Amino acid sequence: MKTFTAKNVTFGSGIPKIAVPLTDDRPEELIKSAAAARNEADLVELRIDPYLARQAEETGGPGELTKLLAGVRAAFDGPVLFTLRTAAEGGLYEVTDAKYREILAEAAESGCVDLLDIEFARETAAAAAEDAAKAGIPVVFSQHDFKRTPGADAILGTFMEMERAGAAIAKGAYMPENGADVDEVIRASGLAGEQLSIPFILIAMGEKGRITRMHGEIFGSCLTFAFLGGRASAPGQIGADVMRAELGKIHEAGMRKGFIFLIGFMGTGKSACARAIRRNSGLPVLEMDETIEERQGMPVSRIFKTQGEEAFRDMETELLESLYGQESAVVSCGGGVVLRERNRRLMRGLGTIVLLTASPETIYSRLQGKTGNRPNIRDRFSVEGIRELMEVRRAAYMAAADVMIPTDGLSPRKIAEKILSERESGNFV
Ligand code: S3P
C-alpha cells in the first residue's frame, strides 16, 4: 500500500495516527482546542459544521471563515483536515450542493488546511475535488452511514471508486447493528489492504465497533479519531490519551508476536497440548474458557443459557483484546473462537495460530462423558453430529490457521515438540 504524507505525518505505515476532531462552535474555542491538541494529536480535524450552524443562526452567513482557518493553523503545528460534515452524514449543518462546494473551495484556497474531507455521495463531490486539486489540496473521500453497514465487497467497491476519483485517503464509517456487521467492516479492511493502493480509514461506530478504532495497525486503518476534553464527535470514540496508550501496546505486541494460539474443534487436545508446551518452553498457559468462567463466576454452559452464545462470543473477543499489553503465553482457545473474523485478526496480530485437527471418530471417543459443559455439542453428540459441525466450521478454521497439525494417534507431548521445533526453526514467528 502506498503511504501519504502531509506536514511530516505519514499515513499508511506504522502506528495509526490520531486525529482529534475540533467541534466547538465559536472561533475562540476552536482555536483554543487546536492549541490544546498540540501534544496530543497527529492531526486535527476541523469540523466546521457546528460553527457554521451557529453562524447561520446568528448572522445568516458563514462569518469570517478564512480568518478562523488562519487562527487554527497558527495554533496547531501538524496537519489540519477540514471537514464540513452535513446533517445527512451525521453532522450539524444542512447545506445546498452549491454552498457545500463554495465553503470547501474557500477552505482549499485559504492555504491553512492540508487535507479536505469530501462526502463522496454528494452531487458536487467531483467538482469539489477538482477545486481542491486546483488549490493543491489532497482529498479524503468519505462515506458515512449511521443506520447500517454495507457488505465488505460493497465497501471495497466504494473505496476503489474513491481511489479512481483521486482520493489521497479513502474513509468509511458505518453503524453496526450486530457483531456480524463489525466483522464485515474488518473483512473490508482486509480486502482494502490487499487491493487498494491508497491508505484508508475504516470505522465501525458505536460501542460494538470500538475495536476498529483501536486496532488499525492490525486491521489496516491509517487514522483513528479520538477526543480531547470529554466530547466525542461520533459514537464510540475514546479519549486521545487512552487511545495513545492502547495504540502503543498494540504496536509492541505486534512487534513481539510471542503468543501461540491453539485452535481447533472441541476435543482436538488444545488444553493438554498447551500444558505440554508450557513444560517444554516455559510459556505460561492461558485457558480461554476457564478464564471466562472465572470472570463470570459460572460455567460456559450457564453463560450460554443465561446470556446466549453471542454474549459468550463477545467475552472471547474482549479476552483476546486484553492480551495486547500482556506477557506472551500459549493460549488454549475455545473451539468457536475462530468463528469471528476479528478474533482471527486479533490472534494473528499477537503471534502464531496453530490448528489442531482430529477425525470425528477420535473426537467422539475423546469427549465421551465430557460434553456437559459444551453446549454446542451436548445435544447432538454423535460421530455424525461432530462431523456436521466440523464441516460448518472448516472454512473458519482454515482461514485462521498458520500451521495445521493432525493429532490422531499423537500424544500431546509429541504435538508440543512438533510445534516448538517448527517455531525454533523459524517456520513460524
Ligand atoms: C465451543 C467450544 C468450547 C467452549 C464453548 C463453545 C465451541 O471450547 O468455548 O463450549 O463452540 O466449539 P472447547 O473447544 O475447549 O471445548
Side-chain angles (χ1 to χ4, degrees):
M1 186 192 297
K2 269 196 284 177
T3 57
F4 169 77
T5 302
K7 275 197 131 189
N8 288 334
V9 178
T10 297
F11 301 89
S13 81
I15 301 179
K17 304 303 173 296
I18 296 180
V20 165
L22 311 177
T23 54
D24 310 278
D25 58 3
R26 292 178 195 279
E28 325 75 73
E29 285 167 8
L30 278 168
I31 290 167
K32 222 196 269 168
S33 298
R38 260 182 182 250
N39 297 320
E40 307 286 343
D42 298 305
L43 169 152
V44 288
E45 181 191 40
L46 176 54
R47 274 278 305 269
I48 205 68
D49 42 298
Y51 161 83
L52 290 174
R54 185 182 183 93
Q55 285 292 324
E57 225 178 81
E58 287 182 355
T59 69
E64 293 180 289
L65 187 59
T66 298
K67 191 170 155 211
L68 166 61
L69 297 179
V72 169
R73 162 63 95 217
F76 182 72
D77 46 355
V80 176
L81 164 66
F82 181 90
T83 301
L84 196 185
R85 183 70 59 234
T86 65
E89 299 208 8
L92 293 177
Y93 192 52
E94 208 35 275
V95 70
T96 62
D97 278 337
K99 193 77 197 157
Y100 182 78
R101 182 177 172 190
E102 199 183 294
I103 293 170
L104 260 55
E106 183 175 347
E109 284 156 17
S110 70
C112 296
V113 307
D114 305 282
L115 274 164
L116 211 60
D117 179 296
I118 299 180
E119 292 177 355
F120 197 53
R122 284 200 85 92
E123 288 272 323
T124 41
E130 260 174 47
D131 297 340
K134 270 190 214 132
I137 305 298
V139 157
V140 178
F141 275 129
S142 63
Q143 182 184 52
H144 294 75
D145 194 327
F146 281 76
K147 295 217 174 71
R148 52 179 280 280
T149 300
D153 296 320
I155 295 174
L156 178 69
T158 304
F159 274 19
M160 301 281 237
E161 277 178 46
M162 289 174 173
E163 180 177 350
R164 277 196 294 276
I169 298 177
K171 177 185 177 196
Y174 310 104
M175 187 60 84
E177 253 178 56
N178 48 39
D181 282 345
V182 178
D183 260 7
E184 216 43 33
V185 168
I186 289 167
R187 206 162 73 75
S189 310
L191 296 174
E194 283 161 19
Q195 299 185 40
L196 221 60
S197 52
I198 51 171
F200 64 89
I201 305 162
L202 249 174
I203 303 164
M205 292 184 282
E207 186 48 38
K208 282 198 179 71
R210 198 179 41 87
I211 189 171
T212 60
R213 295 185 182 275
M214 314 237 272
H215 289 268
E217 187 162 355
I218 298 161
F219 302 147
S221 247
C222 70
L223 182 71
T224 186
F225 294 79
F227 62 82
L228 273 186
R231 236 175 324 148
S233 71
Q237 269 177 19
I238 61 174
D241 48 348
V242 177
M243 179 64 87
R244 178 128 357 241
E246 289 299 323
L247 294 181
K249 276 191 217 162
I250 292 165
H251 180 71
E252 267 173 41
M255 299 299 280
R256 265 188 283 131
K257 287 229 174 204
F259 282 80
I260 298 175
F261 293 92
L262 300 179
I263 62 164
F265 202 79
M266 294 166 262
T268 46
K270 292 162 293 188
S271 300
C273 180
R275 288 193 296 273
I277 289 179
R278 175 178 58 201
R279 280 194 292 277
N280 291 4
S281 70
L283 276 175
V285 170
L286 190 137
E287 277 287 344
M288 287 192 70
D289 283 347
E290 265 176 32
T291 308
I292 291 171
E293 287 182 333
E294 273 163 27
R295 288 186 186 171
Q296 296 296 314
M298 62 178 97
V300 169
S301 55
R302 184 135 192 89
I303 300 174
F304 268 62
K305 197 161 168 211
T306 55
Q307 300 176 61
E309 179 163 353
E310 181 80 359
F312 176 73
R313 300 294 172 210
D314 286 341
M315 293 167 198
E316 289 180 324
T317 303
E318 268 166 39
L319 178 52
L320 289 176
E321 278 187 80
S322 74
L323 298 184
Y324 286 83
Q326 282 186 27
E327 281 306 305
S328 298
V330 50
V331 183
S332 167
C333 296
V337 162
V338 292
L339 297 175
R340 287 185 167 182
E341 171 91 17
R342 53 197 179 289
N343 293 356
R344 304 197 287 263
R345 300 282 293 270
L346 284 171
M347 291 191 281
R348 178 141 309 128
L350 286 161
T352 306
I353 307 173
V354 181
L355 170 62
L356 304 182
T357 63
S359 69
E361 290 78 8
T362 304
I363 286 181
Y364 181 73
S365 71
R366 286 183 188 161
L367 290 184
Q368 290 283 351
K370 297 182 187 156
T371 60
N373 197 25
R374 290 183 160 106
N376 277 340
I377 205 66
R378 193 174 44 201
D379 301 332
R380 52 172 142 177
F381 186 57
S382 64
V383 171
E384 243 349 274
I386 292 168
R387 195 188 314 280
E388 272 169 26
L389 187 55
M390 242 184 203
E391 266 321 302
V392 171
R393 292 182 172 184
R394 183 180 303 278
Y397 284 126
M398 296 310 283
D402 294 315
V403 188
M404 184 173 104
I405 302 188
T407 66
D408 299 87
L410 281 186
S411 67
R413 190 171 56 82
K414 271 267 169 282
I415 302 166
E417 277 168 12
K418 244 175 141 95
I419 293 171
L420 290 171
S421 78
E422 291 237 12
R423 192 183 201 225
E424 225 141 78
S425 59
N427 285 351
F428 59 82
V429 192

